[in-house]
Amino acid sequence: MKKLVFLTAIAATMVACGQKGNVETQNQDTIPQKVFVPAGVPTAPVPSLEQMPIATTFSPSEQGKDPNAPVLRFEEGKPLDLSQLSGGQKRTLEQVATEMIDSIQKMAESGNADFQYFYGGCFNEGWGVEVDFVKAMKWYRKAAEKNQKFSYNAIGNLYRTGSGVKADPNQAFDWFKKGADVKDPQAMLNLGNCYYFGMGVEQDLNQAVKWWQDAANNGNAFAEAQLGDCYFYGMGVEKNLDKAVEYLTKAADKDVPGAQFRLGVLYYAGQGVEQDLVHSELLLKKARDGGMQEAQDFLDKQFKK
């Protein structure tokens, strides 16, 4: 019974907000193939950074699924995502789901919307069951019919990636909009990405930044990282290094590897912050441990003894 109560609390607060580390460069004029949870949330592509004195550039990245990469730490009372916990925890959500899959199924079949969303996520991730996107969609839709707020984003993900259904950018946009309207931070981030890429809607940078800002205001770490980029490049907002550092720091503190890398380079160069090589190296090592090869390359070049 205690396990069921614990799992209910988890399922009631699940929201896609944690990603894993694999890095791929995106082009601004193309729509990436692996975008949005569960495949991963991208850092929106941004214009190339002018050559810095230390001869490095920032490059946009897509957060893919790397099972060996560190992920966002779980904090009591904070929203939790099905893909958020993988390694480094004493007891992961995957372990709980696998061990209790029969109970989860029964709760979902009884009509509990949170467990319907959770059960859909189990089929999405392959936790205690075989991966089956058709069944994932079935249970996400059942949850959505009961207004389970995080299910909207999950359905949008499947339409975006064409998993279990025919890929449909218009449907993806509509479902992300539903999630954003009920204040799901991940859906807000994804909706901003739709506006940025012109996916299912007319491309609109101002609307993209608006939704990223809303997601960041609601604590989404990847939105904070994207806003940091926006302020650094002056993309959709007035260029402001102080704001860039502020948002990159928020995201870096939540273990977003891309933000740790960018911030580490800024501390190395003394751009927007006082130069601090010790802190720079620390941030770059965290980014490297989060799966960013760029961080390792930078460490090898600039900190090699």
Side-chain angles (χ1 to χ4, degrees):
M1 180 59 69
K2 288 184 178 179
K3 287 185 177 180
L4 277 177
V5 172
F6 169 70
L7 195 54
T8 301
I10 290 178
T13 57
M14 287 188 301
V15 53
C17 66
Q19 317 304 328
K20 304 173 187 176
N22 193 31
V23 177
E24 300 176 13
T25 301
Q26 299 173 356
N27 295 322
Q28 186 171 349
D29 58 353
T30 62
I31 297 178
Q33 295 303 304
K34 292 184 178 179
V35 180
F36 309 124
V37 178
V41 173
T43 299
V46 292
S48 298
L49 178 64
E50 293 181 1
Q51 199 76 359
M52 296 175 64
I54 51 178
T56 185
T57 60
F58 292 140
S59 61
S61 65
E62 175 183 345
Q63 303 297 330
K65 296 192 74 173
D66 178 359
N68 299 313
V71 293
L72 297 177
R73 292 190 299 271
F74 171 65
E75 297 180 33
E76 194 66 33
K78 298 291 182 65
L80 182 62
D81 163 40
L82 289 173
S83 67
Q84 186 176 352
L85 298 176
S86 64
Q89 305 293 328
K90 292 182 179 180
R91 184 173 176 78
T92 68
L93 185 57
E94 178 179 0
Q95 291 171 332
V96 174
T98 300
E99 292 171 11
M100 300 187 66
I101 191 64
D102 290 340
S103 296
I104 295 168
Q105 179 182 353
K106 289 179 180 179
M107 291 294 290
E109 290 175 345
S110 74
N112 184 295
D114 290 325
F115 275 90
Q116 288 172 339
Y117 167 62
F118 196 1
Y119 196 36
C122 290
F123 282 109
N124 205 135
E125 298 290 331
W127 290 355
V129 292
E130 293 293 325
V131 171
D132 189 326
F133 294 118
V134 173
K135 290 182 179 179
M137 175 66 88
K138 168 189 171 181
W139 287 103
Y140 286 152
R141 283 190 176 278
K142 285 181 179 292
E145 288 171 1
K146 295 182 174 68
N147 301 315
Q148 207 287 344
K149 66 184 291 185
F150 305 131
S151 62
Y152 304 137
N153 182 69
I155 293 171
N157 294 329
L158 296 183
Y159 274 115
R160 172 61 188 91
T161 59
S163 301
V165 292
K166 182 179 179 180
D168 188 330
N170 294 315
Q171 284 276 7
F173 174 85
D174 289 343
W175 284 102
F176 290 141
K177 183 64 165 63
K178 288 181 180 180
D181 287 343
V182 294
K183 308 301 182 185
D184 175 4
Q186 186 64 38
M188 293 175 181
L189 173 63
N190 290 341
L191 188 62
N193 289 339
C194 287
Y195 276 109
Y196 184 89
F197 291 112
M199 191 197 80
V201 67
E202 185 176 350
Q203 196 169 31
D204 189 329
L205 179 58
N206 291 330
Q207 280 293 310
V209 173
K210 182 266 183 191
W211 284 108
W212 292 339
Q213 182 70 69
D214 285 353
N217 290 346
N218 282 275
N220 186 283
F222 283 82
E224 291 168 345
Q226 290 187 179
L227 280 177
D229 284 342
C230 288
Y231 278 108
F232 186 90
Y233 292 106
M235 186 183 73
V237 293
E238 185 176 348
K239 184 179 176 76
N240 187 321
L241 286 181
D242 290 337
K243 281 285 188 181
V245 170
E246 175 188 342
Y247 279 107
L248 288 174
T249 299
K250 288 180 179 181
D253 287 346
K254 296 174 183 175
D255 289 341
V256 177
Q260 291 169 336
F261 171 66
R262 289 161 171 75
L263 196 59
V265 174
L266 291 181
Y267 272 103
Y268 184 89
Q271 279 201 323
V273 292
E274 184 176 349
Q275 188 178 47
D276 186 334
L277 299 185
V278 173
H279 192 44
S280 171
E281 185 175 13
L282 174 64
L283 286 165
L284 290 165
K285 285 181 176 179
K286 287 183 177 181
R288 173 202 62 195
D289 294 342
M292 288 201 70
Q293 183 60 43
E294 295 99 322
Q296 182 62 68
D297 294 342
F298 192 91
L299 285 165
D300 290 342
K301 183 175 181 179
Q302 305 298 341
F303 289 93
K304 191 172 183 179
K305 303 300 182 182

